[in-house]
Amino acid sequence: MLSVMKASIVSFSIAFFSIAHAIIPNFDDLYRETEDLIKLSGTFQRLKNNDEYFVNFDDNKKPLDYGTFEYIVVGAGTAGGIVANRLSESNSKVLLVEAGPRDPDTTKVPALGTFFFYTPWDWGYNITKQDKICLATIDKRCIFPRGKMWGGTSSLNGNVYSRGTKWDYDTWAEIVGNPDWSYENVLPYFKKAETARFKIDLDKSYHGFDGPQFTDLIEDTPGLTKMLLRAFKERGSIEVDYNGRSPYGVSRVQNFLDRNVRAGTAHSYIRPAAGRPNLLISDNSLVTKVIIANDRAVGIEFVKNGKLYFAQSSKEVILAAGAINTPQILMLSGIGPSEELKKHGIKLVKALPVGQNLQDHVSVFPLFFRTNHTYYNLILKEQLKSWYENRRPLTGGWGIQVVNFRNLKNDRSSKPDIEFITVGPPFLSSTIATANGFNEEYTSAYQILNQYTDFTFDVVLLHPESKGEVTLQSKDPRDYPLINPNYFAAEKDLETIYQSIKWLLEIKNTEAFKNFKAERLLVAMPGCDENYKTDSRNWWYCVIKHLAFPGSHVTGSAIMGTCPSNSVTNPELKVHGIRGLRIADASVIPVTISGHTTAPTVMVAEKVSDLIKAEHGQ
Ligand SMILES: Cc1cc2nc3c(=O)[nH]c(=O)nc-3n(C[C@H](O)[C@H](O)[C@H](O)COP(=O)(O)OP(=O)(O)OC[C@H]3O[C@@H](n4cnc5c(N)ncnc54)[C@H](O)[C@@H]3O)c2cc1C
Ligand SMILES: *[C@@H]1O[C@H](CO)[C@@H](O)[C@H](O)[C@H]1NC(C)=O
Ligand SMILES: *[C@@H]1O[C@H](CO)[C@@H](O)[C@H](O)[C@H]1NC(C)=O
């Protein structure tokens, strides 16, 4: 009882005072840390493996006993932090194990997210070499960011609050043969998580108003935001709340935002629960395996500071290591495709299609515009000061302002297939090149872009046909898994992007753009310009193959379903054939989402927490 009261007081006080001043009392510290972050990001060699955990490790030593817990949650990321919070609301004893450290204060500034790709707070993953995408990157291996800290990827992502649509969840329910996952039945969980702070004129009944996670709009970019809304309206869009009744139209972007502070899982769920006596958080701890005895998960092994530990679970182990690492941990534990396990000499515990069905969006910034407006011209310290006082331009993720969902056939009775996102300023010039891991040629071509005056569009392919996989490099937990999303394996995916770019290109002819004097800026496209006529179909195909990069909305790699031959968990998220083991993160999501994947992952985490509590009579 005491712990429950304490927890609710903590979360109340955070809700009430949570502006940057309360979280980061000293501005000069924030400024210094930001300078350090940017410097580090410019020089850091991204991590290549998990060796850091194994310094002075003795492979032959028996694991040390870490104690017994009712629940063990693996990964304090977007989903794991939520599950740990919810399960420790009562007096259940919960262990939360996270590979990374605490999230640094600089993660609170949404616009700094991309700098984290080149720091130890990111796993440092690349995808395998591709031949139809990522051609502008070093070695044709796009970088594949994943957060490695409290809050996981929600601590460094684009911060966009976007749930997907009714059609996605109704398809999901159909695939898993269970109405529990229909839109009607998951909507309460979206609402449970949310406290919407922005004024909602239309679709109030779709939002939540007393959940742990704040959502908000960001301050408009003077002139530009309204101009962009107007331009899309001229192209036939109406203004909508894309998280409400219908996504079709144009909207100001909704952010996970508590005043000016990034409201990812670390802020909204982990910190408010971290003081509970029944919740133990072990960070800097790499989980290497789930221990399974007689088809029952009985605990986990993890490595911390060169030592191996065993923690026992009396009720359940919940894997929430994300769509790349959850499959790796399962396979290292003997759960996976039998061929794959055999190849690496891992003893088979249960044959399941782990790592298969990897689905991801594809993103591309194909069009650039310059205007004669300067949207801000502050030096870093001034920008931060402005953020500290709750003002733009750093409050939003990556300068995202306006989003527009579209169906190429203009059929508003089914899923949108494309999302247009306006990006910048800020977040342009070399930052796009760096964030995408571009090679020297493309990085230098991008120097022409100006942080203060230019903007671009992110075109997101929402329902690609191409699917990929996560496999193992070896059975050694020091080695990273192999990620091959197989982008553009289906040519239709490229064509859909090309068709939507053609539609978007017309935006330059709107009165809104003309009056604003927003002009297209052609950035050199090495490898394409010399071979094809600008704007021809072949030129666009070439450009897309060079510039497109992982959408980072990965789902399906430990897919939920009904049958063990083509799924990994059942609709209650229990791993088929193994008792006491569930998966709760983006990897279970069986569909591609017509939106972004944080909010759906939050929903999954809220829902599975209720399923677990119900099963154990809490
Ligand atoms: C660059 C980028 C931008 C994005 N932008 C947006 C956006 O704007 N809006 C949006 O909705 N979505 C966005 N997404 C997607 C979204 O962030 C993810 O889908 C979501 O955060 C996934 O949550 P998760 O819980 O599955 O995984 P994560 O949040 O990644 O959590 C996994 C956690 O497990 C830990 N872990 C992994 N392996 C181990 C191990 N062996 N032992 C211990 N701990 C381990 C990790 O360190 C991490 O903390 C973006 C993603 C990226 C990469
Ligand atoms: C990622 O790709 C780069 C460029 O090819 C390479 O230098 C780096 O070692 C790769 N990282 C991993 C983890 O494979
Ligand atoms: C922007 O300003 C410059 C310099 O004043 C001028 O040469 C240019 O024509 C202007 N461009 C537009 C689109 O108004």
Side-chain angles (χ1 to χ4, degrees):
M1 190 59 209
L2 226 169
S3 70
V4 174
M5 271 181 60
K6 189 173 146 216
S8 57
I9 289 167
V10 172
S11 50
F12 173 74
S13 60
I14 281 187
F16 200 74
F17 297 109
S18 68
I19 49 170
H21 294 240
I23 295 168
I24 310 171
N26 186 332
F27 175 78
D28 290 329
D29 288 346
L30 173 70
Y31 177 52
R32 197 172 24 76
E33 285 167 31
T34 305
E35 276 194 319
D36 289 348
L37 169 71
I38 293 171
K39 222 179 285 161
L40 177 68
S41 172
T43 55
F44 188 74
Q45 290 293 317
R46 299 177 81 233
L47 301 174
K48 288 185 187 344
N49 53 48
N50 290 318
D51 283 357
E52 57 177 307
Y53 299 92
F54 292 85
V55 178
N56 297 324
F57 187 76
D58 180 349
D59 278 284
N60 298 316
K61 252 200 172 140
K62 281 242 159 68
L64 301 164
D65 182 11
Y66 205 77
T68 301
F69 303 82
E70 280 159 86
Y71 302 105
I72 298 175
V73 182
V74 175
T78 311
I82 296 173
V83 174
N85 175 312
R86 291 306 189 187
L87 293 180
S88 63
E89 277 175 334
S90 66
N91 53 14
S92 296
K93 215 175 147 194
V94 179
L95 173 65
L96 176 60
V97 191
E98 165 58 43
R102 276 171 188 253
D103 52 322
D105 283 346
T106 38
T107 57
K108 306 297 173 237
V109 186
L112 296 178
T114 48
F115 290 109
F116 285 92
F117 301 174
Y118 294 81
T119 68
W121 295 288
D122 184 274
W123 284 83
Y125 291 152
N126 294 340
I127 59 175
T128 58
K129 198 166 187 147
Q130 305 287 306
D131 57 3
K132 301 187 185 73
I133 196 171
C134 301
L135 304 190
T137 65
I138 302 164
D139 237 8
K140 300 175 188 165
R141 301 183 60 188
C142 276
I143 71 161
F144 196 85
R146 297 271 100 190
K148 187 184 189 179
M149 57 185 138
W150 285 23
T153 305
S154 75
S155 295
L156 56 66
N157 72 13
N159 218 29
V160 172
Y161 180 59
S162 161
R163 300 169 176 175
T165 62
K166 178 180 188 309
W167 301 288
D168 302 317
Y169 298 95
D170 291 346
T171 308
W172 177 335
E174 216 177 286
I175 291 175
V176 303
N178 188 322
D180 278 4
W181 294 96
S182 71
Y183 185 65
E184 191 189 348
N185 290 323
V186 299
L187 184 59
Y189 287 101
F190 283 111
K191 290 162 76 170
K192 180 180 184 184
E194 183 186 21
T195 292
R197 279 233 178 90
F198 52 103
K199 226 180 111 240
I200 299 152
D201 301 325
L202 282 173
D203 299 345
K204 226 173 167 150
S205 64
Y206 290 81
H207 287 275
F209 299 94
D210 57 3
Q213 192 151 39
F214 293 98
T215 61
D216 212 340
L217 304 181
I218 48 171
E219 193 182 353
D220 277 4
T221 300
L224 185 64
T225 309
K226 286 210 176 75
M227 186 285 275
L228 292 164
L229 289 167
R230 224 175 285 138
F232 277 112
K233 286 183 200 164
E234 265 186 71
R235 300 281 288 120
S237 298
I238 51 166
E239 208 168 327
V240 294
D241 167 4
Y242 59 84
N243 283 324
R245 216 174 325 190
S246 164
Y248 285 113
V250 62
S251 324
R252 285 183 172 82
V253 68
Q254 300 172 19
N255 267 250
F256 291 101
L257 207 58
D258 183 2
R259 306 293 177 209
N260 42 356
V261 170
R262 176 191 289 275
T265 293
H267 177 75
S268 311
Y269 288 90
I270 303 180
R271 274 205 182 72
R276 294 177 190 163
N278 56 325
L279 172 64
L280 181 60
I281 303 177
S282 178
D283 52 18
N284 296 299
S285 305
L286 181 78
V287 174
T288 51
K289 187 184 253 192
V290 180
I291 305 299
I292 295 158
N294 301 322
D295 291 335
R296 180 178 185 87
V298 294
I300 57 159
E301 282 184 2
F302 65 94
V303 180
K304 183 177 189 170
N305 288 325
K307 292 202 173 61
L308 180 66
Y309 295 91
F310 169 69
Q312 190 176 337
S313 59
S314 61
K315 287 186 176 141
E316 295 200 25
V317 172
I318 297 109
L319 282 181
I324 305 304
N325 291 31
T326 286
Q328 184 191 22
I329 296 169
L330 284 168
M331 288 188 272
L332 293 178
S333 313
I335 302 171
S338 37
E339 282 295 300
E340 178 68 11
L341 300 192
K342 202 165 138 204
K343 189 165 136 196
H344 299 291
I346 299 170
K347 191 170 164 277
L348 181 73
V349 174
K350 179 83 195 162
L352 291 173
V354 171
Q356 306 301 298
N357 294 301
L358 180 86
Q359 333 180 72
D360 193 9
H361 291 160
V362 181
S363 246
V364 58
F365 296 163
L367 288 176
F368 301 92
F369 289 90
R370 175 160 295 173
T371 70
N372 267 6
H373 300 253
T374 299
Y375 301 104
Y376 66 99
N377 57 0
L378 309 171
I379 57 168
L380 177 67
K381 191 165 190 174
E382 294 164 335
Q383 290 180 46
L384 273 175
K385 195 85 201 169
S386 179
W387 173 80
Y388 204 56
E389 304 307 334
N390 217 358
R391 306 295 310 270
R392 59 176 291 277
L394 301 182
T395 38
W398 309 351
I400 296 171
Q401 301 180 28
V402 162
V403 301
N404 180 282
F405 287 93
R406 254 192 82 70
N407 175 298
L408 278 188
K409 295 193 202 85
N410 219 359
D411 171 10
R412 297 182 182 200
S413 66
S414 72
K415 292 174 201 185
D417 36 32
I418 284 287
E419 179 186 4
F420 297 123
I421 306 176
T422 70
V423 174
F427 188 63
L428 267 172
S429 78
S430 61
T431 41
I432 289 189
T434 317
N436 288 352
F438 280 172
N439 60 28
E440 264 172 52
E441 235 182 347
Y442 270 83
T443 304
S444 81
Y446 271 54
Q447 297 300 328
I448 186 180
L449 296 171
N450 181 327
Q451 283 281 6
Y452 303 109
T453 62
D454 301 346
F455 64 93
T456 180
F457 290 87
D458 182 5
V459 175
V460 185
L461 178 68
L462 297 172
H463 301 288
E465 283 183 1
S466 315
K467 282 186 192 210
E469 58 180 13
V470 183
T471 53
L472 294 177
Q473 217 178 128
S474 80
K475 67 173 183 183
D476 190 334
R478 293 170 182 82
D479 287 337
Y480 279 174
L482 298 174
I483 308 163
N484 179 11
N486 243 331
Y487 300 112
F488 297 151
E491 176 151 329
K492 180 164 178 274
D493 293 348
L494 239 163
E495 180 63 20
T496 307
I497 294 185
Y498 166 64
Q499 291 298 339
S500 21
I501 293 174
K502 269 206 330 197
W503 184 89
L504 180 62
L505 200 48
E506 293 300 312
I507 206 163
K508 70 183 190 324
N509 300 324
T510 57
E511 290 302 311
F513 267 57
K514 283 186 194 153
N515 292 338
F516 207 71
K517 302 205 173 4
E519 291 190 345
R520 183 165 173 206
L521 184 67
L522 279 168
V523 177
M525 294 291 148
C528 305
D529 290 344
E530 57 276 31
N531 296 322
Y532 310 105
K533 194 170 155 269
T534 304
D535 283 348
S536 65
R537 186 170 185 272
N538 285 341
W539 185 81
W540 273 118
Y541 265 55
C542 179
V543 167
I544 297 164
K545 286 178 177 176
H546 276 77
L547 301 187
F549 60 95
S552 290
H553 295 154
V554 194
T555 57
S557 53
I559 198 166
M560 170 193 316
T562 43
C563 176
S565 67
N566 58 15
S567 64
V568 177
T569 79
N570 70 12
E572 284 79 49
L573 301 185
K574 293 176 175 173
V575 173
H576 292 302
I578 307 287
R579 282 166 296 139
L581 181 61
R582 284 194 225 231
I583 302 177
D585 59 32
S587 46
V588 298
I589 298 176
V591 294
T592 43
I593 298 284
S594 317
H596 301 230
T597 42
T598 304
T601 305
V602 169
M603 178 279 287
V604 166
E606 285 282 13
K607 187 165 164 61
V608 75
S609 302
D610 269 8
L611 289 172
I612 295 169
K613 284 176 170 180
E615 174 148 343
H616 299 281
Q618 276 170 241

